[in-house]
Amino acid sequence: MSSTTPHHAQSAPPRVPGRTLALRGVLALLLGAAVGVIGTVSHRSEWAGLPTGLALALLLTLSTAVLCRAWSGTVTLLTAGAGWLVAVQVLSSTGPGGDVLVPAQVVGYVWTYGGLLLFAVAAFLPRRWFSDDGGEQQ
């Protein structure tokens, strides 16, 4: 007896109506911007000489990237990444009084380029990790 379902069948991602996808895109953009602002403001915080602010900001960035990828796929992930990037770049520029939130130091480079790298990592994670069947094969 043969089954009509192939052994290694993967479920297709659910179809999301265009309006819902657009709303999710706007929400992902706002979430990415909020995480970019929070991370930029807090990435230089230290506790007992350790860069805890940077570690927490990068962890928040990674969790946002994975959340957006799992929520609606790559489009939402890229939208959140765009919001994050715009927020970080705007806050990295010199302010009216000459202040800079992200100076040209190691911690600033790790925050800026590390955050971008984390969005790229989330983009290249296996699709089966985000499927409804939990990656199980029948």
PDB file of all heavy atoms in Angstrom, residues 9-38:
ATOM      1  N   ALA A   9       7.605  15.351   2.294  1.00  0.00           N
ATOM      2  CA  ALA A   9       6.790  16.512   1.918  1.00  0.00           C
ATOM      3  C   ALA A   9       6.900  17.596   2.988  1.00  0.00           C
ATOM      4  O   ALA A   9       6.834  17.321   4.172  1.00  0.00           O
ATOM      5  CB  ALA A   9       5.334  16.106   1.751  1.00  0.00           C
ATOM      6  N   GLN A  10       7.098  18.802   2.536  1.00  0.00           N
ATOM      7  CA  GLN A  10       7.127  19.933   3.455  1.00  0.00           C
ATOM      8  C   GLN A  10       5.881  20.759   3.206  1.00  0.00           C
ATOM      9  O   GLN A  10       5.464  20.958   2.068  1.00  0.00           O
ATOM     10  CB  GLN A  10       8.364  20.789   3.236  1.00  0.00           C
ATOM     11  CG  GLN A  10       9.637  20.099   3.637  1.00  0.00           C
ATOM     12  CD  GLN A  10      10.815  21.046   3.550  1.00  0.00           C
ATOM     13  OE1 GLN A  10      10.664  22.204   3.207  1.00  0.00           O
ATOM     14  NE2 GLN A  10      11.979  20.541   3.862  1.00  0.00           N
ATOM     15  N   SER A  11       5.301  21.209   4.297  1.00  0.00           N
ATOM     16  CA  SER A  11       4.094  22.012   4.126  1.00  0.00           C
ATOM     17  C   SER A  11       4.469  23.380   3.565  1.00  0.00           C
ATOM     18  O   SER A  11       5.477  23.967   3.939  1.00  0.00           O
ATOM     19  CB  SER A  11       3.370  22.177   5.461  1.00  0.00           C
ATOM     20  OG  SER A  11       4.195  22.836   6.385  1.00  0.00           O
ATOM     21  N   ALA A  12       3.650  23.849   2.663  1.00  0.00           N
ATOM     22  CA  ALA A  12       3.876  25.172   2.082  1.00  0.00           C
ATOM     23  C   ALA A  12       3.509  26.223   3.113  1.00  0.00           C
ATOM     24  O   ALA A  12       2.639  26.011   3.950  1.00  0.00           O
ATOM     25  CB  ALA A  12       3.028  25.341   0.830  1.00  0.00           C
ATOM     26  N   PRO A  13       4.186  27.375   3.081  1.00  0.00           N
ATOM     27  CA  PRO A  13       3.814  28.419   4.026  1.00  0.00           C
ATOM     28  C   PRO A  13       2.376  28.866   3.779  1.00  0.00           C
ATOM     29  O   PRO A  13       1.902  28.881   2.647  1.00  0.00           O
ATOM     30  CB  PRO A  13       4.807  29.550   3.734  1.00  0.00           C
ATOM     31  CG  PRO A  13       5.413  29.242   2.427  1.00  0.00           C
ATOM     32  CD  PRO A  13       5.243  27.780   2.189  1.00  0.00           C
ATOM     33  N   PRO A  14       1.670  29.187   4.858  1.00  0.00           N
ATOM     34  CA  PRO A  14       0.272  29.587   4.674  1.00  0.00           C
ATOM     35  C   PRO A  14       0.169  30.870   3.872  1.00  0.00           C
ATOM     36  O   PRO A  14       1.014  31.751   3.983  1.00  0.00           O
ATOM     37  CB  PRO A  14      -0.230  29.792   6.107  1.00  0.00           C
ATOM     38  CG  PRO A  14       0.987  30.015   6.920  1.00  0.00           C
ATOM     39  CD  PRO A  14       2.091  29.274   6.233  1.00  0.00           C
ATOM     40  N   ARG A  15      -0.878  30.959   3.069  1.00  0.00           N
ATOM     41  CA  ARG A  15      -1.113  32.161   2.266  1.00  0.00           C
ATOM     42  C   ARG A  15      -1.681  33.242   3.173  1.00  0.00           C
ATOM     43  O   ARG A  15      -2.620  33.012   3.922  1.00  0.00           O
ATOM     44  CB  ARG A  15      -2.092  31.864   1.138  1.00  0.00           C
ATOM     45  CG  ARG A  15      -1.642  30.759   0.199  1.00  0.00           C
ATOM     46  CD  ARG A  15      -0.531  31.156  -0.711  1.00  0.00           C
ATOM     47  NE  ARG A  15      -1.008  32.151  -1.655  1.00  0.00           N
ATOM     48  CZ  ARG A  15      -0.214  32.931  -2.349  1.00  0.00           C
ATOM     49  NH1 ARG A  15       1.067  32.855  -2.196  1.00  0.00           N
ATOM     50  NH2 ARG A  15      -0.702  33.792  -3.188  1.00  0.00           N
ATOM     51  N   VAL A  16      -1.075  34.414   3.104  1.00  0.00           N
ATOM     52  CA  VAL A  16      -1.533  35.545   3.907  1.00  0.00           C
ATOM     53  C   VAL A  16      -2.119  36.573   2.952  1.00  0.00           C
ATOM     54  O   VAL A  16      -1.477  36.943   1.966  1.00  0.00           O
ATOM     55  CB  VAL A  16      -0.359  36.152   4.703  1.00  0.00           C
ATOM     56  CG1 VAL A  16      -0.815  37.334   5.516  1.00  0.00           C
ATOM     57  CG2 VAL A  16       0.276  35.095   5.588  1.00  0.00           C
ATOM     58  N   PRO A  17      -3.340  37.048   3.218  1.00  0.00           N
ATOM     59  CA  PRO A  17      -3.925  38.063   2.339  1.00  0.00           C
ATOM     60  C   PRO A  17      -3.040  39.304   2.263  1.00  0.00           C
ATOM     61  O   PRO A  17      -2.319  39.625   3.202  1.00  0.00           O
ATOM     62  CB  PRO A  17      -5.264  38.378   3.003  1.00  0.00           C
ATOM     63  CG  PRO A  17      -5.555  37.226   3.907  1.00  0.00           C
ATOM     64  CD  PRO A  17      -4.233  36.656   4.294  1.00  0.00           C
ATOM     65  N   GLY A  18      -3.114  40.001   1.140  1.00  0.00           N
ATOM     66  CA  GLY A  18      -2.269  41.167   0.909  1.00  0.00           C
ATOM     67  C   GLY A  18      -2.403  42.245   1.969  1.00  0.00           C
ATOM     68  O   GLY A  18      -1.423  42.843   2.385  1.00  0.00           O
ATOM     69  N   ARG A  19      -3.615  42.497   2.415  1.00  0.00           N
ATOM     70  CA  ARG A  19      -3.837  43.517   3.447  1.00  0.00           C
ATOM     71  C   ARG A  19      -3.162  43.139   4.753  1.00  0.00           C
ATOM     72  O   ARG A  19      -2.558  43.967   5.425  1.00  0.00           O
ATOM     73  CB  ARG A  19      -5.328  43.663   3.695  1.00  0.00           C
ATOM     74  CG  ARG A  19      -5.917  44.913   3.147  1.00  0.00           C
ATOM     75  CD  ARG A  19      -7.376  44.906   3.418  1.00  0.00           C
ATOM     76  NE  ARG A  19      -7.676  45.989   4.344  1.00  0.00           N
ATOM     77  CZ  ARG A  19      -8.877  46.364   4.651  1.00  0.00           C
ATOM     78  NH1 ARG A  19      -9.905  45.703   4.156  1.00  0.00           N
ATOM     79  NH2 ARG A  19      -9.072  47.357   5.452  1.00  0.00           N
ATOM     80  N   THR A  20      -3.283  41.883   5.129  1.00  0.00           N
ATOM     81  CA  THR A  20      -2.671  41.406   6.367  1.00  0.00           C
ATOM     82  C   THR A  20      -1.154  41.474   6.263  1.00  0.00           C
ATOM     83  O   THR A  20      -0.484  41.880   7.213  1.00  0.00           O
ATOM     84  CB  THR A  20      -3.119  39.963   6.656  1.00  0.00           C
ATOM     85  OG1 THR A  20      -4.535  39.917   6.701  1.00  0.00           O
ATOM     86  CG2 THR A  20      -2.547  39.467   7.959  1.00  0.00           C
ATOM     87  N   LEU A  21      -0.623  41.091   5.112  1.00  0.00           N
ATOM     88  CA  LEU A  21       0.821  41.149   4.920  1.00  0.00           C
ATOM     89  C   LEU A  21       1.320  42.586   4.975  1.00  0.00           C
ATOM     90  O   LEU A  21       2.369  42.868   5.557  1.00  0.00           O
ATOM     91  CB  LEU A  21       1.208  40.494   3.594  1.00  0.00           C
ATOM     92  CG  LEU A  21       2.698  40.311   3.350  1.00  0.00           C
ATOM     93  CD1 LEU A  21       3.314  39.441   4.435  1.00  0.00           C
ATOM     94  CD2 LEU A  21       2.938  39.693   1.992  1.00  0.00           C
ATOM     95  N   ALA A  22       0.571  43.512   4.410  1.00  0.00           N
ATOM     96  CA  ALA A  22       0.957  44.926   4.454  1.00  0.00           C
ATOM     97  C   ALA A  22       0.931  45.449   5.887  1.00  0.00           C
ATOM     98  O   ALA A  22       1.838  46.174   6.305  1.00  0.00           O
ATOM     99  CB  ALA A  22       0.027  45.758   3.578  1.00  0.00           C
ATOM    100  N   LEU A  23      -0.081  45.070   6.650  1.00  0.00           N
ATOM    101  CA  LEU A  23      -0.155  45.482   8.050  1.00  0.00           C
ATOM    102  C   LEU A  23       1.001  44.902   8.848  1.00  0.00           C
ATOM    103  O   LEU A  23       1.625  45.594   9.657  1.00  0.00           O
ATOM    104  CB  LEU A  23      -1.493  45.050   8.665  1.00  0.00           C
ATOM    105  CG  LEU A  23      -1.681  45.374  10.148  1.00  0.00           C
ATOM    106  CD1 LEU A  23      -1.651  46.890  10.365  1.00  0.00           C
ATOM    107  CD2 LEU A  23      -2.972  44.780  10.657  1.00  0.00           C
ATOM    108  N   ARG A  24       1.303  43.641   8.603  1.00  0.00           N
ATOM    109  CA  ARG A  24       2.448  43.021   9.283  1.00  0.00           C
ATOM    110  C   ARG A  24       3.749  43.708   8.892  1.00  0.00           C
ATOM    111  O   ARG A  24       4.654  43.846   9.716  1.00  0.00           O
ATOM    112  CB  ARG A  24       2.515  41.539   8.955  1.00  0.00           C
ATOM    113  CG  ARG A  24       1.431  40.740   9.621  1.00  0.00           C
ATOM    114  CD  ARG A  24       1.532  39.283   9.292  1.00  0.00           C
ATOM    115  NE  ARG A  24       0.445  38.537   9.908  1.00  0.00           N
ATOM    116  CZ  ARG A  24       0.326  37.230   9.850  1.00  0.00           C
ATOM    117  NH1 ARG A  24       1.212  36.512   9.189  1.00  0.00           N
ATOM    118  NH2 ARG A  24      -0.682  36.631  10.444  1.00  0.00           N
ATOM    119  N   GLY A  25       3.851  44.124   7.645  1.00  0.00           N
ATOM    120  CA  GLY A  25       5.046  44.841   7.203  1.00  0.00           C
ATOM    121  C   GLY A  25       5.214  46.166   7.927  1.00  0.00           C
ATOM    122  O   GLY A  25       6.317  46.515   8.354  1.00  0.00           O
ATOM    123  N   VAL A  26       4.129  46.900   8.081  1.00  0.00           N
ATOM    124  CA  VAL A  26       4.189  48.177   8.801  1.00  0.00           C
ATOM    125  C   VAL A  26       4.560  47.945  10.262  1.00  0.00           C
ATOM    126  O   VAL A  26       5.406  48.643  10.820  1.00  0.00           O
ATOM    127  CB  VAL A  26       2.838  48.927   8.688  1.00  0.00           C
ATOM    128  CG1 VAL A  26       2.779  50.108   9.630  1.00  0.00           C
ATOM    129  CG2 VAL A  26       2.613  49.372   7.252  1.00  0.00           C
ATOM    130  N   LEU A  27       3.944  46.936  10.879  1.00  0.00           N
ATOM    131  CA  LEU A  27       4.269  46.630  12.272  1.00  0.00           C
ATOM    132  C   LEU A  27       5.719  46.167  12.427  1.00  0.00           C
ATOM    133  O   LEU A  27       6.392  46.531  13.394  1.00  0.00           O
ATOM    134  CB  LEU A  27       3.301  45.578  12.817  1.00  0.00           C
ATOM    135  CG  LEU A  27       1.855  46.034  12.988  1.00  0.00           C
ATOM    136  CD1 LEU A  27       0.970  44.871  13.392  1.00  0.00           C
ATOM    137  CD2 LEU A  27       1.762  47.167  13.991  1.00  0.00           C
ATOM    138  N   ALA A  28       6.217  45.390  11.467  1.00  0.00           N
ATOM    139  CA  ALA A  28       7.610  44.950  11.515  1.00  0.00           C
ATOM    140  C   ALA A  28       8.561  46.132  11.345  1.00  0.00           C
ATOM    141  O   ALA A  28       9.605  46.196  12.005  1.00  0.00           O
ATOM    142  CB  ALA A  28       7.865  43.905  10.427  1.00  0.00           C
ATOM    143  N   LEU A  29       8.208  47.065  10.482  1.00  0.00           N
ATOM    144  CA  LEU A  29       9.024  48.269  10.300  1.00  0.00           C
ATOM    145  C   LEU A  29       9.103  49.058  11.602  1.00  0.00           C
ATOM    146  O   LEU A  29      10.196  49.483  12.023  1.00  0.00           O
ATOM    147  CB  LEU A  29       8.436  49.134   9.186  1.00  0.00           C
ATOM    148  CG  LEU A  29       9.204  50.393   8.826  1.00  0.00           C
ATOM    149  CD1 LEU A  29      10.447  50.031   8.036  1.00  0.00           C
ATOM    150  CD2 LEU A  29       8.325  51.332   8.027  1.00  0.00           C
ATOM    151  N   LEU A  30       7.977  49.233  12.266  1.00  0.00           N
ATOM    152  CA  LEU A  30       7.946  49.953  13.538  1.00  0.00           C
ATOM    153  C   LEU A  30       8.704  49.195  14.628  1.00  0.00           C
ATOM    154  O   LEU A  30       9.425  49.805  15.430  1.00  0.00           O
ATOM    155  CB  LEU A  30       6.504  50.206  13.972  1.00  0.00           C
ATOM    156  CG  LEU A  30       5.696  51.146  13.091  1.00  0.00           C
ATOM    157  CD1 LEU A  30       4.239  51.181  13.537  1.00  0.00           C
ATOM    158  CD2 LEU A  30       6.308  52.534  13.086  1.00  0.00           C
ATOM    159  N   LEU A  31       8.562  47.874  14.655  1.00  0.00           N
ATOM    160  CA  LEU A  31       9.288  47.069  15.635  1.00  0.00           C
ATOM    161  C   LEU A  31      10.792  47.159  15.401  1.00  0.00           C
ATOM    162  O   LEU A  31      11.568  47.337  16.345  1.00  0.00           O
ATOM    163  CB  LEU A  31       8.826  45.612  15.575  1.00  0.00           C
ATOM    164  CG  LEU A  31       9.558  44.642  16.504  1.00  0.00           C
ATOM    165  CD1 LEU A  31       9.324  45.020  17.963  1.00  0.00           C
ATOM    166  CD2 LEU A  31       9.114  43.216  16.232  1.00  0.00           C
ATOM    167  N   GLY A  32      11.215  47.051  14.156  1.00  0.00           N
ATOM    168  CA  GLY A  32      12.637  47.168  13.844  1.00  0.00           C
ATOM    169  C   GLY A  32      13.193  48.522  14.229  1.00  0.00           C
ATOM    170  O   GLY A  32      14.284  48.635  14.783  1.00  0.00           O
ATOM    171  N   ALA A  33      12.430  49.585  13.961  1.00  0.00           N
ATOM    172  CA  ALA A  33      12.865  50.937  14.328  1.00  0.00           C
ATOM    173  C   ALA A  33      12.957  51.079  15.844  1.00  0.00           C
ATOM    174  O   ALA A  33      13.918  51.660  16.371  1.00  0.00           O
ATOM    175  CB  ALA A  33      11.912  51.977  13.748  1.00  0.00           C
ATOM    176  N   ALA A  34      11.972  50.541  16.573  1.00  0.00           N
ATOM    177  CA  ALA A  34      11.993  50.625  18.039  1.00  0.00           C
ATOM    178  C   ALA A  34      13.187  49.881  18.618  1.00  0.00           C
ATOM    179  O   ALA A  34      13.875  50.382  19.519  1.00  0.00           O
ATOM    180  CB  ALA A  34      10.686  50.079  18.607  1.00  0.00           C
ATOM    181  N   VAL A  35      13.469  48.707  18.095  1.00  0.00           N
ATOM    182  CA  VAL A  35      14.622  47.933  18.567  1.00  0.00           C
ATOM    183  C   VAL A  35      15.923  48.657  18.224  1.00  0.00           C
ATOM    184  O   VAL A  35      16.859  48.679  19.030  1.00  0.00           O
ATOM    185  CB  VAL A  35      14.592  46.502  17.976  1.00  0.00           C
ATOM    186  CG1 VAL A  35      15.892  45.769  18.204  1.00  0.00           C
ATOM    187  CG2 VAL A  35      13.442  45.727  18.570  1.00  0.00           C
ATOM    188  N   GLY A  36      15.985  49.272  17.051  1.00  0.00           N
ATOM    189  CA  GLY A  36      17.168  50.047  16.675  1.00  0.00           C
ATOM    190  C   GLY A  36      17.399  51.219  17.609  1.00  0.00           C
ATOM    191  O   GLY A  36      18.529  51.503  18.017  1.00  0.00           O
ATOM    192  N   VAL A  37      16.325  51.905  17.981  1.00  0.00           N
ATOM    193  CA  VAL A  37      16.441  53.045  18.906  1.00  0.00           C
ATOM    194  C   VAL A  37      16.864  52.562  20.292  1.00  0.00           C
ATOM    195  O   VAL A  37      17.800  53.101  20.899  1.00  0.00           O
ATOM    196  CB  VAL A  37      15.108  53.830  18.980  1.00  0.00           C
ATOM    197  CG1 VAL A  37      15.119  54.828  20.127  1.00  0.00           C
ATOM    198  CG2 VAL A  37      14.843  54.532  17.666  1.00  0.00           C
ATOM    199  N   ILE A  38      16.193  51.544  20.808  1.00  0.00           N
ATOM    200  CA  ILE A  38      16.517  51.028  22.140  1.00  0.00           C
ATOM    201  C   ILE A  38      17.956  50.523  22.186  1.00  0.00           C
ATOM    202  O   ILE A  38      18.703  50.813  23.124  1.00  0.00           O
ATOM    203  CB  ILE A  38      15.532  49.920  22.545  1.00  0.00           C
ATOM    204  CG1 ILE A  38      14.142  50.508  22.763  1.00  0.00           C
ATOM    205  CG2 ILE A  38      15.998  49.188  23.798  1.00  0.00           C
ATOM    206  CD1 ILE A  38      13.046  49.470  22.870  1.00  0.00           C
TER     207      ILE A  38
END
